[in-house]
Amino acid sequence: MPREQGEKVVSTNRKARHDYLIEETYEAGMVLSGTEVKSLRAGRASLVDGYAFIESGEVWLDAVHIQEYKAGTWTNHPPRRKRKLLLHKQEIIKISHKTKEGGYTLVPLRIYFSNGNAKVEIAVAKGKKEYDKRQTLRERQDKRESDRAISARKNLGD
């Protein structure tokens, strides 16, 4: 049977881009059980409350909800358990130095399959203040209005 090719996104964390200022992103493999992989392939995952942390030189993903596999039996996994992430040692050291600086945290951005392997994209991020969020929304709205005005002007010129 041929292996999957390409990338299939399972779940994204859109709120993370709103609540955090993304500094760097990393691709990490995930240590999963069989029923977790089957549930992910069915698209049943939520990154809403998820976060990652470093404990004794290992990166862990916590509070990510992967729904129980419907056809699973007693071998089913708990939906919200700690999952180990697979990164290179240099990446872990770099991330730990960044998070120890203060104000930085590890946030999962998306879970996806890359060539058949389950991956998670984590980001070193800094929390936005309320006024930063408002400013970002205002900038986005201003850009949208200017694009509308430009397109309306082009349509009138035709």
Side-chain angles (χ1 to χ4, degrees):
M1 190 165 145
R3 244 179 114 135
E4 288 182 30
Q5 294 296 315
E7 201 172 276
K8 178 192 170 204
V9 177
V10 175
S11 178
T12 58
N13 190 356
R14 293 185 307 216
K15 193 153 177 72
R17 297 208 184 265
H18 179 263
D19 290 343
Y20 297 96
L21 194 80
I22 308 298
E23 296 280 322
E24 291 179 77
T25 60
Y26 295 93
E27 179 184 67
M30 298 172 67
V31 177
L32 300 171
S33 68
T35 54
E36 285 176 316
V37 175
K38 289 180 178 186
S39 189
L40 280 178
R41 287 197 192 282
R44 294 188 175 94
S46 173
L47 294 171
V48 174
D49 297 327
Y51 64 95
F53 61 94
I54 298 174
E55 183 178 276
S56 65
E58 296 176 334
V59 183
W60 295 88
L61 185 66
D62 201 8
V64 170
H65 187 273
I66 298 177
Q67 208 174 56
E68 287 185 348
Y69 185 56
K70 287 190 188 319
T73 56
W74 57 272
T75 59
N76 244 337
H77 63 277
R80 290 190 182 267
R81 69 171 185 93
K82 277 182 13 179
R83 293 169 179 93
K84 187 176 178 180
L85 299 182
L86 306 172
L87 287 162
H88 291 287
K89 200 62 154 173
Q90 270 67 35
E91 289 178 327
I92 295 172
I93 291 168
K94 191 175 180 183
I95 291 170
S96 71
H97 287 308
K98 197 74 168 172
T99 55
K100 285 180 184 174
E101 277 182 24
Y104 287 100
T105 187
L106 288 173
V107 181
L109 297 179
R110 63 187 178 127
I111 294 178
Y112 59 97
F113 283 98
S114 177
N115 295 329
N117 296 322
K119 305 278 186 183
V120 63
E121 184 179 21
I122 58 172
V124 177
K126 192 170 206 158
K128 282 186 183 176
K129 303 279 190 254
E130 193 62 38
Y131 58 84
D132 287 336
K133 293 178 191 176
R134 284 195 298 263
Q135 183 179 357
T136 305
L137 286 173
R138 193 175 304 119
E139 288 171 0
R140 194 178 306 142
Q141 188 175 6
D142 290 344
K143 181 166 177 19
R144 194 176 304 129
E145 287 175 5
S146 67
D147 289 344
R148 277 193 198 132
I150 290 169
S151 67
R153 185 80 171 157
K154 283 182 182 176
N155 290 339
L156 287 177
D158 287 341

